[in-house]
Amino acid sequence: MSYYKISDLEQYFKHYKKSVREPRKFWGKIAEENFLWYQGWEKVFEFEMIKGEIKWFLGGKVNIVKNCIDRHLSKRGDKPAIIFEPNSIEEKEQIITYNELYTRVAKMANVLRSQGVKKGDRVCIYLPMIPELAVAMLACARIGAIHSVIFAGFSAAAVNARVKDCGAKMIITADGSYRGAKTLQLKTIIDEAIKEETSVEKVLVVKRTGEEVSMKEGRDIWLAPLYEEAEETNIAEIMDSEDPLFILYTSGSTGKPKGMVHTTAGYMVQTAYTFNNVFHNNDDDVFWCTADLGWITGHSYLLYGALLNGATTVLFEGIPTYPDAGRFWSIIDKYKVTQFYTAPTAIRSLMTEDYEHVTKHDLSSLRVLGSVGEPINEEAWHWFNDFIGKKRCPIVDTWWQTETGSIMISPLAYVTPAKPTYATLPLPGIQAVLMGEKNTEITGNQVMGSLCIKFPWPSMARTIWGDHERYIKTYFSDFPGTYFTGDGALRDEVGYYRITGRTDDVVIVSGHNLGTAPIEDAINQHPAVAESAVVGYPHEIKGNALYGYITLKAEGTSRDRENVRKEINQLITSHFGPIGKLDKIQFVDDLPKTRSGKILRRILRSIATNEMDNFGDTSTMINPEVVQHIIDNKL
Ligand code: PRX
């Protein structure tokens, strides 16, 4: 009996039961039968949830890139591994076969080694969505360096924080990047990010846009000449199952970003397994995930999950609306994409465009549609189903997180049923539970609670880089003995899960996690600002947008409000990039507070979302009179 592919609903239930009753056998068999190991493991797992200590495939020796590329070469050497679709329709696509990918990764790995990068070193990658980004990630993994991809829309300050936190030895970047009709200067941002002394010794620069960049002697090097000279073969590093594979930063509800550490073997096994089952993978498929490689979705499905299964994966450099709003549909048509995996925010924005953009293109190759990153609303779900999938493609609404590494709750295409707005059933191996107050599990159906997972799974993040205490506090303390996701969920009458949203101060804007506290910190740096509170409110396209309530210092009250508004958003952009901008800024005389001085964000959130009939318990509020004033002046 193989557990690697689930063929029907009955088998799903069988595998699920097996995974709960005999997790060692279940995962052990999947790992043993589907991957290449230098040496098998001694123990499938070992854990102590309370301490956040989790290990999988202990003692195993493996290299994920050998599994992504080398082992496919004999059978699939000439099969396209990556199809690169450039930003401009004038530029020719690149079809990179598995053989070609092997050579590119080997050369890049040799370049990195020649520049002193060794196993365990951290390499930050700040690149546009071009093949070099995928190749750089794989090259790091091949030689055992820990990659930390930083989304190339982040500002210099955000890059600086990440580079410093992980102590990167090298940054790989490009001169610039193309995004629609715009060009961004990436190298300049890197120069700014590391203008003061950091751990970075080398900056490797890919030429993409041809802009002029300044190259610092002894630190900055062009990739091209080194790459041309590099050997075309490379011996991969032998990694322990639990050696870190990458660090990926995600926002927390407070303070600095959390560097989630993913390790090698568990991540490999589960991203491959979930890719194969959620997307109903077949050998001649063309998989397209529109997420940037700078996010976990890009890591786990565009790259690792797809290549581990020997699939063909599309890498798109551009944006959905360039040169016109039919770009996504034209790409599906051009490459005969079979699985299309995107985010609700993209769907919502494209459904407002002229429908001719869709009908112009032949979408009949599609077999599976996927959604990820935030709850998908009913209208978007139906539009996706009716107009893109033409009611013949199952939609997989996949719930998971940067921390979980792979998809946790989702329909399995052609295997388990879908229900609009529901992530439905947990995958085998995932023991989802709803928890209530006092750490009690809420059993039965038609219930709501805090979504937790009560048993470890192979691809879970093992720690927060440099801060294990924070890891324990964030994920293992609210409901001791389980992993707390930070999300609320409901379970319907048949046991399907629907994610209701974050229960903490994280807001998901256009699919990006934003902690409100770090944004408030940035706003408070403005000289005219006394205090601020940022909350999320529903937005038609972005899912959520940010609403800031701001009090000004006495000397700031005479300033022109429009200018202050602009400056605040500039300040936020300089810290986080444009993603963090506030859509609404309301200047208020005072913020509602508790007796102990805590801002009552809950009330501000209710005002922003127009849910003013019930503010809940307000007995602890010290200044109830400000509330009406805020409501009267609401934007
Ligand atoms: O709130 C959930 C939401 O996105 C959060 C995780 O964000 P991030 O780490 O950036 O990873 C996003 C891509 C995996 C979750 O805690 N979320 C993600 N997928 C869904 C979702 N909410 C509802 N439905 C989903 N399918």
Side-chain angles (χ1 to χ4, degrees):
M1 168 95 168
S2 159
Y3 296 119
Y4 195 60
K5 186 82 177 214
I6 308 168
S7 58
D8 54 38
L9 190 60
E10 195 186 334
Q11 212 178 50
Y12 160 79
F13 285 112
K14 259 196 201 148
H15 286 203
Y16 188 86
K17 274 191 199 131
K18 180 84 185 175
S19 76
V20 173
R21 288 188 190 146
E22 292 181 90
R24 282 181 208 281
K25 271 208 182 132
F26 178 78
W27 288 113
K29 213 159 161 31
I30 290 176
E32 191 182 317
E33 289 173 355
N34 298 285
F35 303 89
L36 199 74
W37 299 80
Y38 294 109
Q39 182 186 303
W41 55 89
E42 287 140 25
K43 217 171 172 187
V44 176
F45 56 75
E46 199 176 84
F47 67 90
E48 214 171 325
M49 288 283 248
I50 298 268
K51 293 189 187 161
E53 279 170 11
I54 293 116
K55 293 193 175 107
W56 281 82
F57 307 112
L58 289 81
K61 302 286 177 208
V62 67
N63 185 291
I64 192 170
V65 181
K66 296 274 293 185
N67 280 279
C68 284
I69 306 176
D70 303 33
R71 71 173 163 136
H72 301 312
L73 297 181
S74 58
K75 265 211 314 217
R76 305 189 176 96
D78 293 326
K79 177 178 173 176
I82 296 178
I83 298 178
F84 171 59
E85 168 75 4
N87 177 63
S88 162
I89 49 170
E90 310 290 317
E91 187 179 334
K92 195 167 162 33
E93 71 277 359
Q94 292 180 34
I95 311 284
I96 305 168
T97 62
Y98 274 89
N99 280 328
E100 168 73 15
L101 185 62
Y102 172 84
T103 310
R104 290 199 192 194
V105 171
K107 290 178 91 170
M108 182 73 97
N110 292 330
V111 170
L112 297 184
R113 276 195 181 138
S114 77
Q115 294 305 308
V117 179
K118 297 185 305 295
K119 178 175 174 180
D121 287 342
R122 275 79 62 208
V123 174
C124 283
I125 307 179
Y126 189 69
L127 282 172
M129 285 281 283
I130 54 177
E132 286 82 352
L133 170 51
V135 169
M137 292 166 75
L138 296 166
C140 285
R142 190 165 184 97
I143 65 169
I146 304 169
H147 59 70
S148 184
V149 183
I150 304 174
F151 171 60
F154 274 133
S155 65
V159 174
N160 176 274
R162 287 158 176 76
V163 165
K164 268 199 195 142
D165 186 76
C166 73
K169 188 173 196 177
M170 175 186 268
I171 300 179
I172 307 177
T173 189
D175 47 358
S177 77
Y178 297 119
R179 275 192 79 70
K182 284 196 239 156
T183 310
L184 306 178
Q185 297 186 327
L186 297 189
K187 175 64 168 55
T188 321
I189 295 174
I190 292 298
D191 291 341
E192 171 70 19
I194 56 170
K195 67 173 187 266
E196 273 142 30
E197 180 82 18
T198 61
S199 52
V200 176
E201 293 169 17
K202 296 270 164 67
V203 177
L204 197 57
V205 189
V206 177
K207 196 176 217 117
R208 175 67 184 135
T209 56
E211 12 244 282
E212 240 185 74
V213 296
S214 74
M215 297 291 280
K216 187 170 168 187
E217 178 96 40
R219 187 195 70 182
D220 302 351
I221 343 151
W222 287 105
L223 171 67
L226 297 172
Y227 185 82
E228 291 311 313
E229 294 291 304
E231 290 275 339
E232 296 195 345
T233 56
N234 171 279
I235 297 178
E237 192 78 35
I238 297 176
M239 305 298 285
D240 187 87
S241 290
E242 283 296 332
D243 278 336
L245 171 64
F246 64 85
I247 302 170
L248 190 60
Y249 286 86
T250 185
S251 312
S253 46
T254 51
K256 59 177 194 174
K258 300 174 289 195
M260 304 313 308
V261 178
H262 281 281
T263 57
T264 305
Y267 179 82
M268 171 183 80
V269 169
Q270 203 170 358
T271 52
Y273 169 76
T274 50
F275 178 91
N276 196 31
N277 286 294
V278 173
F279 300 107
H280 200 257
N281 170 46
N282 283 336
D283 210 31
D284 45 5
D285 286 345
V286 177
F287 176 82
W288 182 23
C289 161
T290 67
D292 194 284
L293 279 170
W295 312 120
I296 192 70
T297 311
H299 280 58
S300 299
Y301 296 102
L302 196 169
L303 194 69
Y304 287 113
L307 297 182
L308 286 164
N309 283 286
T312 298
T313 182
V314 177
L315 177 72
F316 173 44
E317 184 183 26
I319 56 172
T321 48
Y322 180 79
D324 63 43
R327 188 66 188 275
F328 272 7
W329 323 124
S330 84
I331 294 174
I332 292 173
D333 190 356
K334 182 172 175 188
Y335 301 116
K336 304 297 166 218
V337 169
T338 46
Q339 288 98 341
F340 177 61
Y341 190 28
T342 194
T345 183
I347 301 168
R348 284 191 298 265
S349 94
L350 291 172
M351 62 192 261
T352 64
E353 301 284 348
D354 201 340
Y355 188 49
E356 270 195 2
H357 285 301
V358 180
T359 51
K360 264 203 303 219
H361 303 285
D362 175 10
L363 305 184
S364 61
S365 57
L366 287 172
R367 287 202 301 114
V368 180
L369 300 177
S371 169
V372 61
E374 57 183 311
I376 178 166
N377 51 306
E378 192 110 19
E379 208 189 342
W381 196 98
H382 284 294
W383 185 84
F384 205 28
N385 186 43
D386 297 356
F387 295 104
I388 304 304
K390 320 281 186 207
K391 296 192 178 156
R392 32 161 219 92
C393 303
I395 296 183
V396 291
D397 178 358
T398 63
W399 174 83
W400 57 298
Q401 311 177 294
T402 306
E403 295 86 336
T404 67
S406 46
I407 297 170
M408 309 290 281
I409 305 183
S410 169
L412 308 178
Y414 298 100
V415 171
T416 66
K419 174 173 176 181
T421 77
Y422 279 73
T424 70
L425 296 168
L427 264 70
I430 307 309
Q431 300 189 29
V433 286
L434 295 177
M435 300 296 288
E437 279 177 17
K438 302 206 179 98
N439 203 26
T440 48
E441 184 177 335
I442 302 171
T443 52
N445 287 343
Q446 285 193 299
V447 288
M448 278 176 89
S450 296
L451 180 61
C452 295
I453 316 288
K454 72 173 180 192
F455 195 84
W457 61 98
S459 68
M460 69 195 288
R462 300 293 193 262
T463 190
I464 292 176
W465 183 262
D467 199 350
H468 196 69
E469 278 308 306
R470 187 175 180 198
Y471 176 69
I472 297 172
K473 187 160 180 293
T474 313
Y475 305 105
F476 302 97
S477 302
D478 291 70
F479 302 96
T482 74
Y483 164 89
F484 176 41
T485 65
D487 283 332
L490 62 83
R491 194 165 47 221
D492 76 359
E493 62 289 352
V494 291
Y496 289 178
Y497 287 89
R498 176 183 184 161
I499 312 302
T500 49
R502 303 287 312 181
T503 59
D504 55 13
D505 289 325
V506 171
V507 182
I508 304 188
V509 179
S510 298
H512 302 310
N513 273 14
L514 296 173
T516 51
I519 295 179
E520 289 167 7
D521 290 344
I523 298 171
N524 297 348
Q525 287 173 13
H526 190 286
V529 170
E531 237 182 348
S532 62
V534 173
V535 299
Y537 70 97
H539 184 280
E540 215 173 298
I541 305 288
K542 300 198 267 192
N544 293 294
L546 298 176
Y547 193 126
Y549 299 91
I550 292 174
T551 59
L552 295 174
K553 289 179 185 155
E555 63 269 27
T557 49
S558 58
R559 298 252 340 249
D560 175 62
R561 301 285 162 101
E562 268 326 295
N563 278 341
V564 179
R565 273 201 181 92
K566 265 195 211 134
E567 288 164 11
I568 286 173
N569 267 331
Q570 280 163 0
L571 198 60
I572 295 174
T573 307
S574 75
H575 277 80
F576 308 102
I579 300 169
K581 273 196 196 169
L582 306 182
D583 271 39
K584 292 187 180 173
I585 296 180
Q586 181 178 353
F587 294 106
V588 297
D589 295 337
D590 203 358
L591 296 168
K593 286 191 184 155
T594 62
R595 277 165 216 289
S596 57
K598 268 204 189 125
I599 299 173
L600 280 158
R601 288 187 176 71
R602 178 171 52 79
I603 291 189
L604 295 170
R605 206 175 296 128
S606 304
I607 298 175
T609 53
N610 277 326
E611 286 163 359
M612 286 173 275
D613 33 357
N614 183 8
F615 283 137
D617 179 17
T618 53
S619 59
T620 56
M621 202 185 326
I622 194 166
N623 52 353
E625 69 287 353
V626 305
V627 174
Q628 193 54 46
H629 193 244
I630 295 176
I631 294 173
D632 292 344
N633 293 291
K634 183 175 180 299
L635 299 175

